[in-house]
Amino acid sequence: ADANFVGPAAPGVAGITLGLGSGLSSAYVSASGGQGGAGLHSSSYYEGLKRALEEHRSGGSGASNRGGDSASPKAGTESGGEAKKKKKKKSRFKLPLQRDPSPPARPAVVTSSSYLKKLMEHGGEEAEEMRMAIIKATIYAARKGKGAGDIFVGSDGKGYKNVQRAFSSFGRIKPCPRCRSNKQGAYHCRVRRKHPGEDYDGGDSASILRPFFTAPTKTLIYKYTGGTSSST
């Protein structure tokens, strides 16, 4: 036999089985027969197979490396996008709302309007105290909102109905000349609109009401006692 003969039928080559898998561990070369196995070490064909295996191994690792390189920019972009999304917004600290104290409980017993009328017609110091209590309760109701003046507490600690009506009847507050000519009452002029001008008859009702618009609301109401005067 020719020692330089190379080919599938060459001595030491016949019976060789070559398997190439996708991974490095799955590539193998096997030989059958004792003589063939011994001849593999001197065969140039084996050298070719060895180079093929090496190229296969290097090619697989290179492909994986290339795949990793191509994926890395995308991963970086995604991570950058997530970082922008997760960027914290500046927190805005909000102060709690400053609320007026809750109105007192409504009186269990309401005194009749006729009693209030008699008290105011009688005059004197008691009537003047009640007048100021009505004015304060009117401003309180205007500042607190709807329903706050349905029932109010007078200077005597008793409950009375409809502070707006009591204000119009016993407050002795007068509208400005313009509201007078437009047939608007003192409540609309001085409390709702807060007109600062002098009264239609030259008086100064605005100066009486002005301090109560800025005073703490708790100073404008009386506690209900059922008859004993008690201002908060």
Side-chain angles (χ1 to χ4, degrees):
D2 187 358
N4 296 324
F5 177 73
V6 178
V13 176
I16 294 175
T17 301
L18 174 64
L20 298 177
S22 58
L24 299 179
S25 61
S26 60
Y28 63 92
V29 177
S30 62
S32 61
Q35 184 179 359
L40 284 173
H41 297 287
S42 60
S43 174
S44 61
Y45 187 77
Y46 174 73
E47 296 295 332
L49 292 177
K50 184 178 180 181
R51 285 193 302 270
L53 287 173
E54 291 175 353
E55 290 177 0
H56 176 71
R57 293 190 182 101
S58 63
S61 61
S64 62
N65 290 335
R66 287 193 299 272
D69 294 341
S70 61
S72 59
K74 184 178 180 181
T77 304
E78 290 178 356
S79 62
E82 291 178 359
K84 291 181 180 179
K85 290 181 181 178
K86 293 180 180 179
K87 187 177 180 181
K88 294 182 179 179
K89 296 182 179 180
K90 294 182 179 179
S91 60
R92 296 180 180 179
F93 178 74
K94 296 183 179 180
L95 293 173
L97 296 176
Q98 299 293 332
R99 299 185 181 275
D100 291 333
S102 301
R106 291 190 173 188
V109 179
V110 178
T111 307
S112 64
S113 57
S114 61
Y115 176 86
L116 178 61
K117 183 179 179 180
K118 290 179 182 179
L119 186 150
M120 299 304 294
E121 289 177 349
H122 185 269
E125 184 178 351
E126 188 177 358
E128 183 61 25
E129 289 179 357
M130 182 63 75
R131 171 177 173 262
M132 294 308 299
I134 292 172
I135 291 174
K136 291 179 180 180
T138 301
I139 302 301
Y140 174 85
R143 290 173 62 178
K144 292 298 289 185
K146 184 178 180 181
D150 291 348
I151 298 177
F152 69 99
V153 179
S155 59
D156 56 359
K158 296 179 181 179
Y160 298 92
K161 288 183 179 181
N162 202 329
V163 70
Q164 184 176 340
R165 182 180 297 175
F167 176 83
S168 300
S169 301
F170 310 117
R172 299 204 302 270
I173 301 295
K174 299 177 182 179
C176 66
R178 180 179 178 182
C179 288
R180 173 75 171 180
S181 63
N182 292 333
K183 298 181 179 180
Q184 299 290 344
Y187 181 84
H188 175 84
C189 175
R190 301 302 186 182
V191 179
R192 185 173 295 173
R193 297 297 182 183
K194 300 179 183 178
H195 290 169
E198 64 178 13
D199 300 346
Y200 69 90
D201 61 356
D204 193 7
S205 296
S207 63
I208 299 174
L209 303 180
R210 192 176 297 116
F212 302 133
F213 284 113
T214 56
T217 53
K218 64 181 180 179
T219 64
L220 303 178
I221 53 177
Y222 288 81
K223 290 182 180 179
Y224 175 74
T225 60
T228 304
S229 177
S230 178
S231 177
T232 55

